[in-house]
Amino acid sequence: MYSRHASATAAAAAADRLRTCIEGFVFSWEQRSYTISASIGVVLLADAMSLKELFAHADAACYLAKEAGRNRVHVYAEDDAAVIHRLGEMEWANRLREALRDDRLVLDYQELRPLQSSATDGAHVELLLRLKAEDGSIVLPGAFLPAAERYGLMPLVDRWVVETVLANLDRIHPQGAGLASCALNLSGASLDDDVLVGRIEQLIAKHGIAPQRLVFEITETVAIRNYIASGAPIARLRELGCRVALDDFGAGMSSFGYLKNLALDMVKIDGSFVQHLAHDPMSQSIVKAVTEIGHQQGLAVVAEWVASQEMVELLASMGVDYAQGFALHRPERAVFQR
């Protein structure tokens, strides 16, 4: 009778022979030769209590084989931290699909407060996504959005947000139709979705929305990763009259050239530079530089994660236009979902 270790070794060896056979196959098509590779996940029957669990473990092991460089075998182990993390993400992806199906996504808004007397009147908000769990508790996006990105669910999430917000724009904030601007986040996957911008145009016309009230936020890392591809949808959104903000500026390997070359209306300074502003000269220099260059480009500058009145006063003295954070306003549920 095989031990568990011997069984796992034999299964891995069989999988590797299969992988080698696939790797050695070459086929020709239209005067060109092609090779194939396979990423294989291996799991023992003894490591699963049900068929569903067995396939979940195999799927996780297969993904890890691909992430390790492809064309390899990964054997599932109960104490494998990477597999445990992957299974957790798979579970969140399933829960997010169910929440979309059952209409259990909710929106909170957080106000941006003007710091300069020249700021536009009216409330300005950013919408924050939440998931209502089966037991009614509220789950913050850090728990489920990484899984949504990994499993290709972000276009569905973004489409739900766009459809819901534009249908209820005057019922998000207590000011109703007096809401000056509403910011929505768009993922990198949605920037590649040609249909989404067209749908935004349809919804603006359908609901009679003044497009300048809509601000679409794109993170710096997404803008840089998709620099060429993101330019066209950003331009289309601005042609519609909407505004576009570069979010989390400074979080990645930033270049101020992106502020010059991307067609933007607003830049949001990453909170990691704001939270230590009072005592960190380097953070102060970065915030001052972003503010000055942003203003030279005609951009409004927003500081995130503002946690104290001391920060508010310091940011105002630096010329930052808006501040956002718990010191000014804690997120509240959108009026139409209360």
Side-chain angles (χ1 to χ4, degrees):
M1 185 175 180
Y2 278 107
S3 67
R4 186 191 182 287
H5 176 73
S7 297
T9 301
D16 198 58
R17 288 195 298 273
L18 176 61
R19 183 199 61 78
T20 302
C21 289
I22 294 172
E23 182 184 31
F25 180 74
V26 178
F27 72 94
S28 300
W29 177 258
E30 295 185 349
Q31 300 181 334
R32 297 188 65 180
S33 295
Y34 298 87
T35 59
I36 306 172
S37 67
S39 302
I40 303 176
V42 175
V43 59
L44 300 182
L45 292 174
D47 288 335
M49 299 296 292
S50 66
L51 190 61
K52 178 181 178 181
E53 190 176 60
L54 180 69
F55 280 113
H57 292 172
D59 191 39
C62 188
Y63 268 108
L64 290 168
K66 288 195 289 186
E67 289 177 359
R70 300 179 181 269
N71 195 31
R72 64 190 63 215
V73 175
H74 188 97
V75 180
Y76 169 83
E78 286 185 329
D79 59 351
D80 189 330
V83 169
I84 293 170
H85 178 70
R86 167 66 69 178
L87 288 172
E89 285 194 331
M90 290 169 63
E91 178 62 26
W92 273 117
N94 289 332
R95 292 180 68 181
L96 178 56
R97 290 188 187 97
E98 292 171 359
L100 283 163
R101 182 195 66 203
D102 300 337
D103 197 23
R104 285 189 286 105
L105 294 182
V106 294
L107 295 166
D108 286 357
Y109 66 84
Q110 186 176 37
E111 294 180 357
L112 286 68
R113 298 289 171 81
L115 300 182
Q116 310 298 328
S117 58
S118 60
T120 305
D121 292 333
H124 301 266
V125 302
E126 178 186 357
L127 290 179
L128 308 171
L129 186 65
R130 309 288 189 245
L131 184 151
K132 185 182 291 185
E134 294 85 344
D135 62 1
S137 60
I138 297 298
V139 182
L140 297 180
F144 60 87
L145 283 189
E149 291 173 350
R150 183 178 293 277
Y151 286 93
L153 297 177
M154 284 309 302
L156 289 176
V157 173
D158 286 348
R159 181 173 287 272
W160 179 89
V161 171
V162 166
E163 298 268 358
T164 304
V165 171
L166 271 62
N168 297 278
L169 188 60
D170 291 345
R171 300 195 300 138
I172 287 172
H173 188 272
Q175 287 192 11
L179 179 65
S181 73
C182 179
L184 302 76
N185 291 278
L186 287 183
S187 67
S190 290
L191 283 182
D192 296 332
D193 183 1
D194 294 334
V195 177
L196 183 62
V197 178
R199 182 58 179 153
I200 291 171
E201 183 176 11
Q202 292 173 355
L203 291 169
I204 287 173
K206 177 181 178 180
H207 299 293
I209 296 169
Q212 65 270 19
R213 297 175 67 196
L214 299 175
V215 180
F216 291 95
E217 295 190 4
I218 299 161
T219 63
E220 177 205 18
T221 49
V222 165
I224 292 174
R225 187 171 65 244
N226 302 307
Y227 179 59
I228 296 176
S230 63
I234 287 173
R236 284 190 63 195
L237 287 169
R238 297 186 79 237
E239 286 171 4
L240 293 178
C242 304
R243 289 179 285 170
V244 178
L246 188 64
D247 196 13
D248 297 339
F249 187 79
M253 300 300 291
S254 301
S255 166
F256 285 110
Y258 290 105
L259 294 184
K260 178 180 179 181
N261 296 321
L262 283 172
L264 301 167
D265 301 279
M266 182 182 297
V267 59
K268 301 185 76 172
I269 303 170
D270 187 66
S272 61
F273 297 112
V274 178
Q275 63 180 342
H276 303 300
L277 191 64
H279 311 291
D280 181 10
M282 179 60 74
S283 293
Q284 293 176 16
S285 297
I286 291 171
V287 171
K288 288 177 182 177
V290 174
T291 302
E292 182 178 348
I293 293 173
H295 286 165
Q296 286 178 356
Q297 292 298 112
L299 308 180
V301 179
V302 181
E304 301 178 297
W305 299 11
V306 179
S308 69
Q309 187 59 35
E310 180 184 13
M311 284 187 188
V312 172
E313 295 170 0
L314 189 55
L315 290 164
S317 69
M318 293 178 175
V320 174
D321 300 297
Y322 294 91
Q324 179 180 356
F326 283 2
L328 298 165
H329 181 248
R330 288 185 173 271
E332 297 181 64
R333 185 60 34 81
V335 171
F336 73 96
Q337 288 186 323
R338 293 179 186 174

